[in-house]
Amino acid sequence: MTTQTEPARPDSPRSDLRFLILGAGMSGILTAIKLREAGLNDFAIYEKADRLGGTWRENEYAGVACDVPAHMYTYSFAPNPEWSNRFAAGAEIQEYFEGVAHRYGIDELIQYGKEVRRCEFVDGRWHVELSDGSTDVGDFVIAATGVLHHPAYPDIDGVDDFGGAAFHSARWDHDVPLEGKRVGVIGTGSTAIQIVSALVDRVAELSLFQRTAQWVMPIENPAYSEEEKAEFRRRPEAMEEIRAEVTKVFTERFANILGDAESPLLEAIHTACEENLENSVKDPVLRERLRPDYRAACKRLIMSEDFYEAIQHPNANLVTEEIERIEAGGIRTRDGELHELDVLIFATGFRVDRFMRPMEVIGRDGVTLEDAWRENPSAYMAITVPSFPNLFMLNGPNGPVGNFSLIDVAELQFSYIMQLIEQVRSGSCRELSASQEALERFDSERKEAAKHTIWASGCKSWYLDSDGIPAAWPWTFDRFREEMDKPHLDDFETR
Ligand code: NAP
């Protein structure tokens, strides 16, 4: 559908604003709900897949769960008394988003099977082209396209030579039987650790190919009893209390300290991980092979109640020898050994620098996002890029990522974006994006602060950009909240 109206004069309030929401994952659903709440009903939601849910639709691997407590990983306005456990499984989270989208009447508005291929800013409005050949025009683009979205496959010789079934964790092939099979998992990130725990006693043999050991923070995952759930239904404040408590602990004892590698609280986290390793792994040789040589929380911290138990299971085999190549029969390591496998799982992460891309995005004066992000993706306050007016991102580059509730992050970001939209709605301006000067200042302060973060303390991870600088929000989470509270309009170029 195409809506063509002349842009209004800057001094007249607007009641004709149209919004194009890209993606129907957690952030896209949030955007639609919040726009409606603000009385902004003219929007389209474009989703390339045939289901909503974003990351929770894509990740159906064995053991998929969220290691952020469920009552925190929930929209603040849609508490869920039905969470089964302290930490929810992926399928349950997917069901939650489907339920919320249905309750708010958003699901029927989503246009499925429509991938946005191109967005161009022409005469003050965004013109988009979709994979089915249709077009649309809107005043704002809200990119809710996700961060960990494009699977990364390992650069290993013979990666296509494997004779059995092989797939990426985010492209799980449910048709491949795993029972009684020899299964190999490459990677030791949060995904691989969940897979290993879930599969070890289902398969004949599970080989975990570890390039880098991980620190593991112990967690407990008790189920909520029927009485507790009944109490949540009767008294929703009980869920709010849990959320407030968990958020407070998480903010003060984790999110606020990542920017200060010298924080004693980080030392305490390190000690807790060391104790977990000492107390959980009996064999001293295996223990040393599982011991990382960098500080805890330098990479995204693994939260697990059972990984160490799983890796000591008789079916488990930890392979620390470097992979030489993949062959038809399995994985050959540098010591010459062939680890024979029936199934190979790539838990090798994502191309985290993609964001909206490969979509072609053309801003003011023909500037492309590809050009703007040639070195590394960056966005003022993780939300706006100069020369791309009225295009705002949720969970864009430089935001708080990692062991965070990205729902919390997206809600804070949307309240900021809403204030920018209000500038246009009220007639203060027609277009706004961060100024070049503001982005440069933000970027140089961000990179300076990044040097002091735990992520820069001597390990490799997906947090680092192509120059080796942590790209995530390097300050405290409290500062993020403060920044999101109110935009500094002086940092915006308006027309
Ligand atoms: P990841 O953290 O990027 O881990 C990728 C793994 O693959 C690493 O262990 C890496 O080894 C390994 N790898 C990559 N290329 C390799 C190669 N050529 N040879 C050997 N090993 C190779 O990916 P992920 O585990 O999918 O997690 C990504 C993010 O998703 C997480 O950090 C988290 O933010 C999110 N996530 C969240 C949850 C949750 O519960 N909330 C669960 C899963 C994922 P190196 O370490 O040596 O590079």
Side-chain angles (χ1 to χ4, degrees):
M1 190 180 75
T2 303
T3 315
Q4 298 277 12
T5 45
E6 281 296 303
R9 294 199 327 276
D11 53 351
S12 55
R14 304 277 302 271
S15 57
D16 59 340
L17 296 175
R18 178 164 174 78
F19 297 81
L20 307 175
I21 303 170
L22 314 190
M26 172 276 289
S27 304
I29 297 166
L30 168 76
T31 300
I33 292 172
K34 290 287 167 187
L35 286 175
R36 271 195 161 173
E37 201 176 283
L40 296 163
N41 294 305
D42 186 8
F43 57 77
I45 314 167
Y46 292 116
E47 169 55 57
K48 70 178 178 192
D50 58 4
R51 269 171 83 207
L52 57 81
T55 211
W56 302 105
R57 177 198 64 227
E58 305 256 308
N59 285 282
E60 291 187 324
Y61 59 81
V64 59
C66 184
D67 60 13
V68 176
H71 283 290
M72 185 176 164
Y73 193 81
T74 307
Y75 292 125
S76 60
F77 53 86
N80 178 20
E82 311 307 328
W83 290 128
S84 63
N85 285 66
R86 182 178 293 164
F87 299 95
E92 212 181 337
I93 300 172
Q94 173 69 17
E95 199 182 310
Y96 168 75
F97 285 121
E98 286 172 358
V100 173
H102 186 66
R103 226 168 46 239
Y104 282 80
I106 301 301
D107 54 353
E108 58 193 31
L109 304 176
I110 300 169
Q111 301 190 46
Y112 291 105
K114 290 195 176 198
E115 179 172 1
V116 178
R117 292 270 165 83
R118 191 169 192 273
C119 299
E120 185 171 8
F121 192 67
V122 184
D123 297 333
R125 304 193 83 204
W126 283 100
H127 295 239
V128 304
E129 292 175 16
L130 296 119
S131 48
D132 63 351
S134 61
T135 60
D136 198 351
V137 183
D139 301 282
F140 289 88
V141 166
I142 309 291
T145 46
V147 191
L148 300 155
H149 186 56
H150 301 282
Y153 291 86
D155 182 15
I156 298 175
D157 280 352
V159 73
D160 298 322
D161 295 347
F162 185 60
F167 47 86
H168 189 276
S169 55
R171 298 284 179 271
W172 198 263
D173 188 341
H174 293 282
D175 292 335
V176 174
L178 299 171
E179 275 67 19
K181 303 287 181 199
R182 296 163 303 175
V183 176
V185 176
I186 302 182
T188 48
S190 305
T191 300
I193 272 36
Q194 292 180 344
I195 292 173
V196 169
S197 300
L199 282 190
V200 75
D201 52 10
R202 278 177 54 192
V203 301
E205 194 182 300
L206 192 142
S207 299
L208 175 64
F209 293 85
Q210 167 185 288
R211 182 166 68 182
T212 311
Q214 287 274 10
W215 287 115
V216 180
M217 189 73 176
I219 52 170
E220 286 175 4
N221 191 18
Y224 286 113
S225 65
E226 285 312 314
E227 291 73 36
E228 283 172 302
K229 289 191 220 168
E231 167 75 358
F232 293 149
R233 278 178 225 123
R234 201 170 39 242
R235 210 174 63 83
E237 312 88 75
M239 289 181 281
E240 274 166 41
E241 285 155 22
I242 294 179
R243 184 188 176 93
E245 174 61 22
V246 177
T247 303
K248 184 174 175 338
V249 170
F250 168 79
T251 306
E252 290 174 4
R253 305 192 69 85
F254 187 75
N256 276 352
I257 57 172
L258 297 166
D260 173 15
E262 303 313 315
S263 161
L265 284 170
L266 278 171
E267 207 44 56
I269 288 174
H270 189 90
T271 305
C273 292
E274 267 182 342
E275 283 172 6
N276 189 28
L277 178 63
E278 297 307 326
N279 299 336
S280 311
V281 182
K282 294 186 202 80
D283 172 3
V285 177
L286 180 64
R287 198 188 304 144
E288 289 322 300
R289 293 169 69 214
L290 287 166
R291 188 186 300 279
D293 60 0
Y294 56 88
R295 294 178 54 194
C298 181
K299 281 172 175 280
R300 185 185 190 273
L301 201 52
I302 306 292
M303 312 277 180
S304 178
E305 61 172 346
D306 51 10
F307 170 68
Y308 285 145
E309 192 186 322
I311 202 67
Q312 294 174 89
H313 191 284
N315 292 348
N317 174 27
L318 178 73
V319 182
T320 49
E321 195 69 39
E322 200 183 329
I323 296 174
E324 176 151 307
R325 62 176 179 274
I326 296 173
E327 301 180 1
I331 291 185
R332 182 151 329 253
T333 43
R334 288 254 179 248
D335 55 3
E337 188 179 344
L338 176 67
H339 302 263
E340 291 182 34
L341 302 170
D342 304 308
V343 180
L344 178 55
I345 299 166
F346 300 113
T348 42
F350 298 88
R351 300 179 66 197
V352 294
D353 64 341
R354 298 287 87 196
F355 295 98
M356 299 171 72
R357 297 177 289 180
M359 192 186 302
E360 190 183 2
V361 188
I362 305 164
R364 199 183 269 148
D365 305 323
V367 177
T368 67
L369 197 62
E370 200 57 35
D371 278 340
W373 286 357
R374 191 153 298 283
E375 285 173 19
N376 280 302
S378 69
Y380 172 79
M381 294 293 162
I383 283 176
T384 150
V385 182
S387 299
F388 295 85
N390 299 359
L391 181 154
F392 304 126
M393 290 172 285
L394 288 161
N395 284 304
N398 315 138
V401 285
N403 296 84
F404 285 80
S405 165
L406 291 192
I407 300 188
D408 210 8
V409 171
E411 286 195 25
L412 291 163
Q413 290 178 323
F414 193 81
S415 68
Y416 180 100
I417 291 171
M418 199 54 228
Q419 295 175 65
L420 302 176
I421 293 169
E422 285 299 345
Q423 290 298 308
V424 178
R425 175 149 82 160
S426 67
S428 297
C429 62
R430 274 194 312 247
E431 307 170 6
L432 72 172
S433 54
S435 68
Q436 188 61 35
E437 186 273 330
L439 175 64
E440 282 169 17
R441 177 167 29 86
F442 174 81
D443 254 353
S444 79
E445 287 171 12
R446 173 179 70 74
K447 287 178 185 170
E448 183 52 38
K451 290 181 195 161
H452 308 287
T453 62
I454 186 70
W455 310 310
S457 66
C459 69
K460 284 205 184 118
S461 75
W462 66 263
Y463 294 150
L464 308 182
D465 69 16
S466 63
D467 297 322
I469 299 170
W473 184 264
W475 301 287
T476 64
F477 200 68
D478 283 336
R479 174 160 168 182
F480 180 70
R481 276 207 186 93
E482 281 160 28
E483 293 288 4
M484 292 300 103
D485 196 40
K486 202 167 171 45
H488 301 285
L489 291 173
D490 293 351
D491 285 346
F492 283 79
E493 189 190 336
T494 57
R495 289 190 184 170

